[in-house]
Amino acid sequence: MSKYIFNLPDIGEGIAEAEIVKWHIKIGDVVAEDDQIADVMTDKATVEMEAPVSGKIIGLAGEEGDIIAIGSMLVEIEVEGDVDADKLEDLEASSAVPDEAAQADIDVVPSEQVIDKKGSISDIPTSPVVQKESEESSAAPTRLDAMPARNEQPKSLATPAVRKRAADLGVDLSEVKAQGEHIRHSDLDAYLNYGAGQGYRPSGAVQKRDDETIKVIGMRRKIAQNMADSKRNIPHFSYVDEIDMTEIEDMRGDLNANRGERAKLTILPLMIAAICKALRDFPMLNATYDDEAGFVTRHGAVHLGMATQTNQGLMVPVLRNAQDMNVWQLASEIARLASAARDGTATAKELTGSTLTLTSLGPLGGIATTPVINRPEVAIIGPNKIVERPMIIDGEIHARKLMNLSISCDHRVVDGYDAASYVQALKHLLETPVLLFAD
């Protein structure tokens, strides 16, 4: 027998540490070579770690959520015979595999049960002591007269009206104390007033849930850190204006009616086209701010981050060079990136490098939002729900499709006047959508 210490390998350029997101093994488990043993997460990706040798797990680096340094021990494995050092160097170098797919749900089988291949529960071998007691019990004759009499509760006496009321309230009359021979409405009232402390709960009441403590690790920890850093370091201000979306919604209907084999357009591609077109005159919004170095970089290309809700939490895939795409190309790329983010196949490049972010809750969008800036960007745009409401035009009331548009900006480098002027330019394009297709 010999021991092999598997150190966390170098899993990316410039990576100094990684977080243990999930253990797939525990101390005492026997693993085969190439078995998955853990998932670790860096700033750029989640990586699957595989066992470099076969053996028994005798040591772990820590618990899920712990952060360990590159080159430090990940697991300790007890192996048969001597370890071939040259072979292990090759295996260790190839043991980090990028996690390109979302993790599937795992069904846990209770340790007290053994399930065979047919899905039935097998008998669990009993200890000699238990088996002996069982045999003695089965050998002893059973006598009915030796068994204790069953404890039967006496039937509560109450009128039909009281019984019906108790049933409607979900009250067991055997728990209600009567002041006389029969349970009366007054007795039931007294129980309702004072019996709650003894566990009474009316029929249909919401049951209390037990407290649950959840460790914040992995993607949720990254989100927490990024949001806290943004709010702590950036003096946010938000601006909201109402936009009449009736004309652009009518245009979208016409485009979809003549789309041919292309995918159906949502409002987002048209809105992104307007965002990019309006940015030409407002470069201070398509920018990133390095507050430590004291430099603002105004980007020529629009790499638009799209806040996307996934099972792992909020992710921001990046729509690169959005300014060069038409609405159909935008629709296709939006669908591809959103799908990659949700199924876990988005690459590190697809999740970094945004210069401006768009966040939308779609049909769930409320009246207004005050979105949090995706640092080091200096602005984030949040369209809200489109709602048909009455609007006065030339003294007459018309039904129009109206939407509130929110923008949050970093007040250190963006003035309120610039943010408001940009939203007005964006509003003009959305309310006069033919301008989107004009040079």
Side-chain angles (χ1 to χ4, degrees):
M1 289 285 187
S2 60
K3 296 178 181 178
Y4 174 65
I5 295 178
F6 176 39
N7 296 324
L8 181 64
D10 186 355
I11 53 180
E13 184 179 354
I15 301 300
E17 60 187 15
E19 178 184 348
I20 302 170
V21 177
K22 185 176 182 62
W23 284 114
H24 296 284
I25 44 89
K26 60 182 182 298
I27 292 177
D29 284 355
V30 175
V31 296
E33 184 178 328
D34 297 331
D35 279 357
Q36 188 176 356
I37 57 175
D39 294 341
V40 299
M41 182 179 182
T42 69
D43 290 335
K44 297 181 179 179
T46 300
V47 181
E48 294 179 357
M49 306 307 300
E50 298 178 348
V53 294
S54 300
K56 181 179 179 180
I57 303 296
I58 59 175
L60 300 177
E63 299 179 353
E64 292 179 357
D66 288 350
I67 296 176
I68 61 174
I70 299 298
S72 62
M73 185 199 85
L74 181 64
V75 295
E76 187 176 359
I77 305 174
E78 185 178 67
V79 299
E80 296 276 352
D82 296 328
V83 180
D84 186 341
D86 293 335
K87 178 182 177 184
L88 286 176
E89 286 181 4
D90 294 336
L91 289 170
E92 186 172 333
S94 61
S95 61
V97 180
D99 183 5
E100 292 296 328
Q103 297 180 1
D105 294 336
I106 300 174
D107 294 330
V108 180
V109 178
S111 59
E112 296 85 354
Q113 298 176 351
V114 179
I115 301 180
D116 60 24
K117 293 181 179 179
K118 296 180 181 178
S120 59
I121 300 176
S122 305
D123 294 333
I124 301 175
T126 57
S127 68
V129 175
V130 174
Q131 189 172 355
K132 183 177 179 182
E133 289 178 356
S134 214
E135 289 172 356
E136 290 176 356
S137 299
S138 61
T142 303
R143 291 182 53 196
L144 294 177
D145 56 358
M147 296 177 66
R150 187 175 60 183
N151 234 349
E152 295 185 356
Q153 294 288 339
K155 186 176 181 180
S156 302
L157 299 178
T159 64
V162 172
R163 289 188 179 280
K164 183 179 184 305
R165 184 184 173 205
D168 291 341
L169 291 169
V171 175
D172 184 354
L173 284 177
S174 65
E175 298 178 359
V176 179
K177 183 178 180 181
Q179 296 301 317
E181 295 182 357
H182 294 77
I183 298 174
R184 304 177 184 277
H185 284 288
S186 57
D187 299 324
L188 189 54
D189 291 336
Y191 177 81
L192 294 174
N193 289 330
Y194 304 106
Q198 301 172 6
Y200 164 69
R201 188 180 296 275
S203 178
V206 177
Q207 298 295 313
K208 182 184 74 173
R209 292 178 56 188
D210 293 335
D211 293 343
E212 183 179 9
T213 301
I214 300 172
K215 193 169 185 177
V216 180
I217 64 173
M219 182 63 70
R220 180 49 57 186
R221 174 187 279 180
K222 290 293 181 186
I223 294 170
Q225 290 174 346
N226 291 342
M227 293 298 100
D229 287 345
S230 179
K231 294 295 287 186
R232 185 183 301 114
N233 292 285
I234 299 177
H236 286 63
F237 76 89
S238 297
Y239 175 85
V240 183
D241 199 4
E242 184 179 70
I243 298 177
D244 186 351
M245 302 290 287
T246 307
E247 299 299 332
I248 199 168
E249 279 284 74
D250 291 343
M251 174 182 281
R252 183 171 72 90
D254 291 339
L255 289 170
N256 280 329
N258 297 279
R259 72 181 187 276
E261 299 297 322
R262 291 173 291 198
K264 189 175 181 180
L265 283 179
T266 65
I267 196 62
L268 276 183
L270 293 165
M271 189 170 295
I272 291 172
I275 288 170
C276 293
K277 196 175 185 72
L279 280 173
R280 293 176 184 175
D281 298 325
F282 298 90
M284 74 289 294
L285 293 173
N286 187 44
T288 52
Y289 179 36
D290 185 342
D291 48 8
E292 293 183 0
F295 287 102
V296 175
T297 301
R298 295 183 174 182
H299 300 278
V302 181
H303 302 316
L304 191 69
M306 299 182 302
T308 305
Q309 188 65 38
T310 72
N311 291 334
Q312 291 77 38
L314 188 67
M315 301 180 73
V316 187
V318 181
L319 192 62
R320 297 193 176 275
N321 295 301
Q323 78 285 343
D324 293 336
M325 299 183 190
N326 62 40
V327 291
W328 302 106
Q329 292 170 330
L330 288 169
S332 176
E333 188 66 357
I334 289 169
R336 186 190 71 79
L337 288 172
S339 176
R342 291 190 178 104
D343 63 25
T345 59
T347 64
K349 184 177 180 180
E350 291 171 331
L351 296 172
T352 56
S354 56
T355 60
L356 178 69
T357 294
L358 176 71
T359 177
S360 171
L361 291 173
L364 292 177
I367 296 173
T369 51
T370 55
V372 178
I373 297 169
N374 185 22
R375 191 170 181 242
E377 298 165 25
V378 300
I380 183 170
I381 298 170
N384 298 288
K385 184 166 57 176
I386 298 175
V387 179
E388 190 171 57
R389 296 199 299 267
M391 186 177 186
I392 298 176
I393 303 175
D394 297 329
E396 297 182 353
I397 298 176
H398 297 268
R400 306 293 287 181
K401 295 176 181 177
L402 304 177
M403 179 192 76
N404 290 334
L405 183 77
S406 304
I407 187 170
S408 291
C409 298
D410 185 340
H411 220 329
R412 297 173 298 178
V413 293
V414 179
D415 294 331
Y417 179 84
D418 292 328
S421 298
Y422 173 74
V423 171
Q424 293 307 311
L426 185 56
K427 176 177 180 175
H428 181 58
L429 289 172
L430 292 172
E431 292 186 341
T432 318
V434 68
L435 297 176
L436 295 177
F437 302 95
D439 292 332

